Amino acid sequence: MSGARPARKSSGRDGDETLRAFPGRLWCVVPAAGRGTRFGAQRPKQYVALAGKPLLQWTLERLAACERIGGLVVALAGDDAHWPGLRELAGKPVLTTVGADERSGSVLAGLRALPASVGGDDYVLVHDAARPCVRGDDIARLIDRGVAAGGALLAAPLRDTLKRADAQTRVAATESREARWRALTPQLFRRAELMDALERADRDGVAVTDEAMAMELAGHRPLLVEGAESNIKVTTPADLVLAEFLLRGLRAEG
C-alpha cells in the first residue's frame, strides 16, 4: 500500500490468549494515523480534547464497552507522541501498529496486525477514530445483519434536499435523494476479503475513501444497515460541541 510504513511490534497482552476469553466477539481496527489538517488544531485531530479526554480515547472506550467487540487494533502514525500507551480497555486487549498516510493503508496495516487466531474468513470491524458517539446497539445490529449478508456498513439515508453546485457554487441542479445514503462506521467484512480488496485498489491506483468502496470495486455488494444520526464524524471544531452534547446523552442512557 503506497505511503505505508513498516508495522512496529504490537503492544498489549497476548492477543490470541485474550481472544479466547471472548468467544464469538469480533476485533475492531481503528485507523488513527492521520493528521486531521482540516480541523486546524496544533495536534492531530484524534487527540483534541473532548469533555476532558482525547477524542480517540472516547472512541476506543465506546468500542470497548460494546459487548460484541473482543479487542481493538489501533493504527498510529510512526512518530505519534500523543498515544497514551493503552494496553487494554474494559478488560479487552488494545494492540497498536504503524499506519500510513492514507486511511486505506492504515486499515490494511491494522488488518495485518490482528492476532493469528483471527482467520481469513473471520469478520472484523473498522471504525473511524473520530466517531466517538457510536451506539452499541447499532454495532450489534450491524454484526447480526452484516454477517448474514456477507458484509455490511452502518449508514444513514439522506433526508435533506440535495443540491449539485456549479463552478461558482451556484445551484446547478436538485438531485434525487432517493436511494442515497451517507456511509458511517463501523463497517464489517471478512478479514481476507477486505485485505484483498484494499490491496487491489492500491495496485490499480484507486484512492478508496472507505472499506465499502474497496469491496464494491472488488465486486461485492455490502448491505446498508441503518445507524443512528448521532454517529457523527468530528471534522470541525463545531462538531466537538455537538459530540460533547451527544456523549452526555449516551452516558445518561448507561
Side-chain angles (χ1 to χ4, degrees):
M1 184 74 55
S2 59
R5 306 180 183 90
R8 65 187 175 204
K9 184 178 180 181
S10 295
S11 63
R13 298 186 300 176
D14 182 82
D16 291 345
E17 179 180 345
T18 306
L19 183 61
R20 286 195 290 270
F22 297 98
R25 301 186 189 183
L26 306 186
W27 281 77
C28 183
V29 172
V30 181
R35 306 296 179 180
T37 53
R38 287 181 298 171
F39 191 85
Q42 292 184 335
R43 62 179 55 197
K45 178 182 66 176
Q46 59 269 31
Y47 292 112
V48 170
L50 169 61
K53 297 179 187 178
L55 170 60
L56 176 59
Q57 186 166 341
W58 278 111
T59 300
L60 297 178
E61 289 179 355
R62 292 292 303 170
L63 293 169
C66 180
E67 184 179 354
R68 305 293 293 276
I69 291 177
L72 304 168
V73 175
V74 187
L76 304 169
D79 59 353
D80 191 320
H82 304 285
W83 173 248
L86 297 173
R87 297 173 66 87
E88 68 173 45
L89 283 170
K92 300 172 183 179
V94 178
L95 311 180
T96 60
T97 190
V98 172
D101 294 332
E102 299 298 328
R103 173 200 171 88
S104 57
S106 290
V107 172
L108 188 56
L111 293 170
R112 289 170 174 161
L114 286 164
S117 55
V118 183
D121 287 335
D122 289 333
Y123 284 91
V124 296
L125 298 159
V126 181
H127 186 63
D128 291 332
R131 290 189 188 271
C133 302
V134 63
R135 301 180 63 95
D137 53 355
D138 277 358
I139 296 175
R141 188 168 61 258
L142 171 68
I143 294 172
D144 289 339
R145 297 190 60 191
V147 168
L153 65 151
L154 286 182
L158 285 179
R159 307 187 193 280
D160 297 323
T161 299
L162 188 64
K163 302 293 185 181
R164 177 162 52 86
D166 63 15
Q168 289 75 44
T169 65
R170 295 181 179 274
V171 173
T174 297
E175 304 283 359
S176 171
R177 64 188 174 202
E178 183 178 358
R180 302 293 198 275
W181 293 63
R182 293 188 297 109
L184 309 175
T185 66
Q187 302 190 4
L188 170 85
F189 299 105
R190 289 186 176 92
R191 181 187 189 183
E193 287 182 346
L194 181 53
M195 290 179 66
D196 289 345
L198 290 169
E199 290 168 348
R200 179 185 300 188
D202 180 64
R203 289 194 302 269
D204 293 343
V206 179
V208 295
T209 54
D210 71 351
E211 294 68 55
M213 179 180 175
M215 295 295 284
E216 293 159 37
L217 292 171
H220 300 272
R221 296 181 61 197
L223 179 70
L224 295 162
V225 177
E226 186 168 356
E229 297 278 358
S230 57
N231 185 8
I232 66 167
K233 184 175 183 180
V234 175
T235 304
T236 69
D239 294 331
L240 277 178
V241 178
L242 177 56
E244 183 170 357
F245 171 79
L246 293 171
L247 283 171
R248 285 200 299 268
L250 290 171
R251 282 182 285 175
E253 293 177 9

